Amino acid sequence: MTVQALKHQHKIQHLLQSIGLPKSVYYYQCKALKSPEPYATEMASIEKIFHKHKGRYGYRRIRYALHRDGIHLNHKTVQRLMAKLGLKSTVRP
């Protein structure tokens, strides 16, 4: 964020005025950047299972593997997290 880089040289109020950003939005974004990823451990597990099976497991099989490990997630959540990680299974003919 440019405001973060320039806030030591100028007042935040003037920086936000110049770019037309409300103060509440700025502080909301600062807080959001500091918060941890909500599904960080689950994403690590998904990636581990995906690479363990050489990219052959799709979201359904990964969901069942997570379920066996005691991690209960909805299939749509697994799909979304796989898309976020850039994981896509290979399709067999």
Side-chain angles (χ1 to χ4, degrees), residues 9-26:
Q9 300 167 357
H10 306 284
K11 288 187 175 183
I12 291 177
Q13 179 184 6
H14 298 299
L15 292 172
L16 295 176
Q17 252 180 355
S18 66
I19 61 173
L21 186 70
K23 194 165 50 168
S24 61
V25 174
Y26 168 73

Side-chain angles (χ1 to χ4, degrees), residues 27-39:
Y27 285 113
Y28 175 81
Q29 289 297 325
C30 289
K31 185 178 176 184
L33 288 174
K34 291 178 183 176
S35 66
E37 181 69 36
Y39 289 105

Side-chain angles (χ1 to χ4, degrees), residues 25 42 47-48 59:
V25 174
E42 288 86 354
E47 203 164 14
K48 180 180 159 192
Y59 74 93

Side-chain angles (χ1 to χ4, degrees):
M1 239 179 156
T2 8
V3 177
Q4 291 285 59
L6 295 173
K7 77 178 186 178
H8 301 293
Q9 300 167 357
H10 306 284
K11 288 187 175 183
I12 291 177
Q13 179 184 6
H14 298 299
L15 292 172
L16 295 176
Q17 252 180 355
S18 66
I19 61 173
L21 186 70
K23 194 165 50 168
S24 61
V25 174
Y26 168 73
Y27 285 113
Y28 175 81
Q29 289 297 325
C30 289
K31 185 178 176 184
L33 288 174
K34 291 178 183 176
S35 66
E37 181 69 36
Y39 289 105
T41 56
E42 288 86 354
M43 287 169 66
S45 298
I46 289 172
E47 203 164 14
K48 180 180 159 192
I49 292 168
F50 184 83
H51 291 300
K52 178 182 174 187
H53 296 283
K54 300 175 186 170
R56 295 186 192 116
Y57 272 21
Y59 74 93
R60 290 183 184 104
R61 282 179 156 178
I62 289 179
R63 182 187 166 272
Y64 291 128
L66 289 170
H67 187 75
R68 283 192 303 266
D69 294 341
I71 302 171
H72 302 284
L73 290 176
N74 189 335
H75 68 282
K76 292 179 183 177
T77 306
V78 175
Q79 270 183 315
R80 181 174 46 83
L81 293 175
M82 285 181 68
K84 192 173 187 177
L85 292 168
L87 304 176
K88 189 172 180 181
S89 65
T90 55
V91 179
R92 291 185 295 182

